[in-house]
Amino acid sequence: MDLNSLTIESTRTAIAEQRCTASALVEQFYGKIKAEDPGIHAYLTLCEDRASRQAKVIDDLTQKGAPLPPLAGVPVGIKDVMVTKGVRTTAGSKILENFIPPYDCTAVARLEAAGAIVLGKMNCDEFAMGSSNENSAYGPVRNPRDTSCVPGGSSGGSAAAVAAGMAVATLGSDTGGSIRQPASFCGVVGLMPTYGRVSRYGLIAFASSLDHIGPLTKTVRDAAILLRVIAGRDPLDSTSADIPVPDYEAELAKPVSGLRIGVPKEYFGEGLDAEVRAAVEAGIQKLRSAGCEIVDISMPHTAYAIPTYYVIATAEASANLARFDGVRYGHRAKGARTLAEMYRKSRDEGFGTEVKRRIMLGTYALSSGYYDAYYLKAQRVRTLLTRDFAEAFQKVDAIVTPTAPTPAFKLGEKADDPLSMYLADIYTVTADLAGVPGISVPCGNTQSGLPIGLQVLGRHFDESTVLRIGHAVE
Ligand code: GLN
């Protein structure tokens, strides 16, 4: 089978019609990964035993002629910030180099219960902090569309594996854009669901009020199929919402004509690459031709999104990362004489530069005397940003923007300039702060052949409309 063109849809049909066994398919994928991944580095860990056990379960079902679950035999990869029972989980960090979790992340458990086969764990920026995957302690990922370029981040391995046909679909996480931005850099589909739509149980926390799990896939239909499997209330995550999960795939059949689509002027200003602008405008034109009404809107607080995000995300990260102290799990420094020295040395040896920078920024923002000036102020601006969305959604059904201001950049190009790296998320962080869903779908290529992504944002829990519009652009 041609692994590069396999979708969830075509894989499950091939398995159901017994054109291929799940075991043979898994073997083919591992063959491709071993041949091609050394040049990309999308995978950090392969779990061949777990995959072949699951493949046998599926093959038994097909042999018996039993009904098949919705993802039967679909090979997937999991960003290495989601814990997997018995399979090393590093979060891209040295501090968790030898960490073997004792339980499964809910989203992973739901994928497997639906018949998916986990091939392995995907490379990512350390603790999901980054926009280029260059912050992984295990080395960067390369963009399969041009290996001199970054794949985006922090779910760079998840996006690259789908683009390179080394997994049919993957899970990523999005705190400030980490599903949508790498999807746009690699030319795949990336969906960030509404905050609370997908359980975060078993997701190693970066910034808990901003973290979302979601799919990276080749098609919008695949994203719809996968979301339905992982979405829904989970008693293990008190922030997961008890709201019915629609049949997203069936929803795709509804026409988009008559939908009102907002185009916010703040997302088309200075810093937007000309080729990206042209491709996104062409995408908007397509929607107009499909009968959507295009409405110019304004989201006046957009300029404050990046600073707000970097105060809140670092504050939450500094608290979440306090648990890595060399005592309970992860790296413990040798040769320390006191407990305090052991904490200090373990964290110094285990964390990379960007993670340390964020812990320091976040600790500062939360410290007494600065809390009101930074953290509290940022929370207030977050409310204003959320109101921008609420007001926009009184006038329109969805919002369309570029996913990122530029196409993929070169490896090393921004590595020494954290601020310009932070600006890669200028169009994505707003949705994380407001908790609304968003998708990035490919909408064209630059002259040099790099993919460009168009972003659709929707109302809380209205992934259906976001997917339908994404599908129309696709
Ligand atoms: N690039 C952003 C950051 O570095 C977003 C990361 C993410 O979404 N996980 O924080």
Side-chain angles (χ1 to χ4, degrees):
M1 269 200 279
D2 173 21
L3 304 190
N4 286 317
S5 62
L6 273 185
T7 59
I8 292 181
E9 229 190 334
S10 61
T11 308
R12 65 186 187 185
T13 317
I15 298 282
E17 292 174 353
Q18 302 200 26
R19 277 186 272 127
C20 173
T21 64
S23 304
L25 186 62
V26 163
E27 227 172 276
Q28 235 188 309
F29 267 97
Y30 280 127
K32 184 171 168 74
I33 291 166
K34 284 170 192 169
E36 294 173 21
D37 199 41
I40 303 289
H41 199 27
Y43 281 89
L44 290 177
T45 306
L46 300 178
C47 48
E48 294 177 76
D49 290 347
R50 182 167 172 157
S52 70
R53 256 182 281 129
Q54 172 80 343
K56 281 202 193 80
V57 172
I58 302 300
D59 289 337
D60 282 349
L61 288 179
T62 46
Q63 260 157 33
K64 278 192 235 140
L68 293 178
L71 300 180
V74 176
V76 298
I78 308 294
K79 185 179 182 182
D80 211 16
V81 289
M82 284 163 244
V83 299
T84 37
K85 185 174 179 177
V87 177
R88 182 177 85 130
T89 301
T90 68
S93 181
K94 280 274 177 243
I95 210 160
L96 290 176
E97 189 166 13
N98 301 307
F99 176 54
I100 312 277
Y103 67 101
D104 274 322
C105 174
T106 295
V108 175
R110 287 187 179 175
L111 284 185
E112 282 189 333
I117 301 173
V118 175
L119 297 174
K121 304 301 291 289
M122 314 316 299
N123 201 348
C124 57
D125 285 299
E126 185 174 3
F127 288 103
M129 297 175 186
S131 305
S132 68
N133 222 115
E134 292 165 295
N135 294 337
S136 167
Y138 302 95
V141 178
R142 289 175 181 275
N143 190 322
R145 297 285 293 265
D146 176 345
T147 53
S148 69
C149 289
V150 303
S154 61
S155 310
S158 299
V162 173
M166 294 191 287
V168 171
T170 53
L171 288 185
S173 68
D174 195 312
T175 303
S178 282
I179 290 176
R180 291 159 289 153
Q181 184 257 23
S184 93
F185 280 18
C186 291
V188 301
V189 173
L191 172 66
M192 177 181 73
T194 308
Y195 186 78
R197 183 56 108 179
V198 176
S199 167
R200 288 180 294 112
Y201 182 71
L203 171 66
I204 296 174
F206 162 10
S208 311
S209 78
L210 296 160
D211 293 342
H212 308 72
I213 291 175
L216 291 106
T217 55
K218 291 195 186 111
T219 64
V220 174
R221 182 173 300 278
D222 278 3
I225 296 169
L226 205 151
L227 178 63
R228 191 184 184 193
V229 169
I230 61 173
R233 171 77 187 156
D234 173 14
L236 298 172
D237 173 5
S238 63
T239 64
S240 69
D242 197 2
I243 293 179
V245 176
D247 180 345
Y248 297 111
E249 192 184 0
E251 296 276 307
L252 292 182
K254 293 188 188 160
V256 294
S257 63
L259 287 177
R260 291 170 65 89
I261 293 183
V263 178
K265 62 170 189 281
E266 291 80 3
Y267 287 67
F268 291 82
E270 209 190 319
L272 177 60
D273 176 272
E275 286 183 290
V276 174
R277 175 195 296 272
V280 172
E281 280 172 355
I284 293 170
Q285 200 47 48
K286 239 190 205 177
L287 291 171
R288 198 192 305 266
S289 317
C292 297
E293 187 184 339
I294 308 298
V295 184
D296 288 327
I297 60 168
S298 170
M299 303 188 71
H301 298 94
T302 305
Y304 305 109
I306 289 277
T308 304
Y309 170 80
Y310 276 95
V311 172
I312 294 174
T314 56
E316 292 186 19
S318 75
N320 276 325
L321 270 57
R323 77 192 67 186
F324 302 101
D325 57 7
V327 177
R328 284 159 293 189
Y329 37 68
H331 174 73
R332 177 180 300 174
K334 296 205 173 57
R337 280 153 307 170
T338 64
L339 182 62
E341 191 186 344
M342 193 279 285
Y343 289 158
R344 217 166 30 240
K345 280 185 74 167
S346 300
R347 288 167 69 81
D348 184 31
E349 293 168 8
F351 289 140
T353 312
E354 182 63 23
V355 174
K356 287 176 183 165
R357 177 169 23 242
R358 306 245 182 147
I359 292 173
M360 286 192 289
L361 282 169
T363 307
Y364 180 79
L366 288 176
S367 57
S368 88
Y370 296 108
Y371 182 94
D372 288 2
Y374 297 111
Y375 186 70
L376 207 62
K377 177 68 87 31
Q379 291 289 20
R380 291 191 170 133
V381 182
R382 184 178 189 174
T383 301
L384 296 176
L385 283 155
T386 308
R387 270 188 215 153
D388 277 1
F389 277 99
E391 275 161 29
F393 288 133
Q394 300 208 324
K395 294 184 220 121
V396 297
D397 300 301
I399 294 167
V400 169
T401 77
T403 305
T406 66
F409 43 87
K410 299 277 182 206
L411 260 95
E413 191 180 318
K414 296 182 196 258
D416 298 324
D417 184 357
L419 195 58
S420 94
M421 189 76 90
Y422 294 173
L423 290 175
D425 295 311
I426 191 157
Y427 303 142
T428 47
V429 291
T430 47
D432 297 87
L433 287 162
V436 299
I439 197 169
S440 177
V441 294
C443 68
N445 294 301
T446 64
Q447 290 217 317
S448 61
L450 287 172
I452 296 170
L454 175 148
Q455 173 173 247
V456 186
L457 304 173
R459 297 187 176 103
H460 288 117
F461 297 101
D462 190 13
E463 289 85 0
S464 293
T465 302
V466 167
L467 286 159
R468 275 162 62 203
I469 296 170
H471 189 54
V473 172
E474 177 183 54

